[in-house]
Amino acid sequence: MSVAGHQPPPFFKRGPAPLLRLIFFSFLSILLLVLDLRFHMLEWTRQGVELVAYPLQLLAYAPMQGLGHGSDYFASVVTLEKENSGLRRQQLGTANRLLRQEHLELENQRLRALLDMKQRQSVGGQVAEILYAAHDPFTRKVILDKGTQQDITAGQVIVDELGVIGQVTRTFPMLAEVTLITDKEQAVPVQIVRNGLRSVLFGSGDGNLELRFLAANADVREGDTLVTSGLDGIYLAGLPVATIKHVNRDATYAFARIQCEPIAGVERHGLVLVLGRREALPPPPFEAEENDKPLRSKKQRK
Amino acid sequence: MTQPTHSSNRILRPVKGWFLSSSLILAMFLDMVPLGRTPGFPDWVALGLAFWCVREPLRIGMGTAFLLGIAMDVANASAIGQHSLAYVLLAYAAGRLSRRILWFPLSMQALHILPLLLTAQCIMVITRMIGGAQFPGMLYFLGSFVAALFWHPLTYLLLLPQYQPLEKDMNRPI
């Protein structure tokens, strides 16, 4: 400010110095990063911006969808017939089990009633389609075509015809974001079918999974199948998750390094089933007041 | 009359505001095209932002970069602040370079832009890895090299409206 009260002519006005602006915006960005990554306080911003950007995203997705439909249309009759007959054969092959399933379930219910055990919860599902993989290269997430409008809520489990794919982690009005089980931050409580050994399965980031914190002499073999244990109160018990591919028992580490590969087509696209919400488990006796948020337990790392 | 740069004697018309903003929106749109994890897909918003920061440093700067970054963060489902931090630094560097860079031919301009784009990507990797994410692999950085290759055609494309004379005058010297 000059003493005589002269303003510089508007021709020379350029606002604050670039370095000052750089420092201001960088600090603002870092503040937002901390608020989002550490405290998860910016979900409302996402909801707002997503609502505005949704039509744009649909428009961007349209050419890819058109391409997919086009290739479907021109798929030859021979391939379709082959696929059809294959599916029919598969259906007949599983019919035996499917027909007896209802009977077995009833029997199971009666037996459980006899033994005075808690009834197994039956859960419905909604079919949804994976639209595309999220653009963020640092995580493994996919976007579903159903959202809060179709009663999808965060925490629901996504399966395909073979096993667990992931879990809904964020919902928008028309879309839902699913974190795949191969994501580094995603943990699935599992047990080994053969001996019932419980553990937690983590994504290793390269499309495979890792069974951590099992002692080096634990009874784990290559080829073992892992299913969800259901102890977390979110996943239903008994859904197939992964098979053990490689067990490395190095005496220098306290834990065995166990690599697994997913059973379901985690990295493939197509139709998936969103399982309905499971009833919350009764709270454990000593931390009853903390257990009203079942999602929290999943978020805790390591 | 070889290159449409500062070294040429071609006089450009002033850029139109709507063209500038619509080119950036189109870049965002291109970034939203769901190609999954295809490596080498350039970050069009970063490229367009660098271009306009070099060409129009008084109109496009860190404020625009910040807002574009927030929009990209939400559209990409990444951490909020990740793109905005990278873009703000990119805009600052491109703005500082703009006086110098325009004296070079286009291929050398691309060589100036490449390290800026790589730095922006490095900032994103560092911020996310501090946040506990996994390393996306070296192929992630391929996008910047592809983007630098696009600098040459992009310059012609984005300066096209500024080449047109106001009225056609056959006797005009330029």
Side-chain angles (χ1 to χ4, degrees), chain A residues 127-145:
Chain A
V127 177
E129 193 184 357
I130 295 178
L131 285 181
Y132 51 86
H135 225 291
D136 189 25
F138 301 98
T139 52
R140 287 181 181 260
K141 290 179 180 171
V142 291
I143 310 290
L144 289 188
D145 66 340

Side-chain angles (χ1 to χ4, degrees), chain B residues 75-155:
Chain B
N76 276 3
S78 45
I80 291 186
Q82 168 202 335
H83 278 87
S84 48
L85 180 63
Y87 286 174
V88 163
L89 289 164
L90 175 73
Y92 173 74
R96 290 318 283 272
L97 263 181
S98 74
R99 298 273 170 264
R100 164 193 167 82
I101 206 172
L102 288 176
W103 291 97
F104 288 95
L106 283 176
S107 51
M108 287 197 194
Q109 286 183 18
L111 283 182
H112 277 85
I113 290 301
L114 176 63
L116 300 190
L117 295 175
L118 279 177
T119 317
Q121 283 196 309
C122 284
I123 290 165
M124 288 199 241
V125 169
I126 291 168
T127 48
R128 287 308 291 277
M129 283 180 75
I130 289 173
Q134 68 213 24
F135 185 65
M138 288 312 278
L139 274 181
Y140 171 66
F141 294 103
L142 190 67
S144 284
F145 290 91
V146 178
L149 285 182
F150 273 102
W151 182 263
H152 203 287
L154 194 78
T155 307

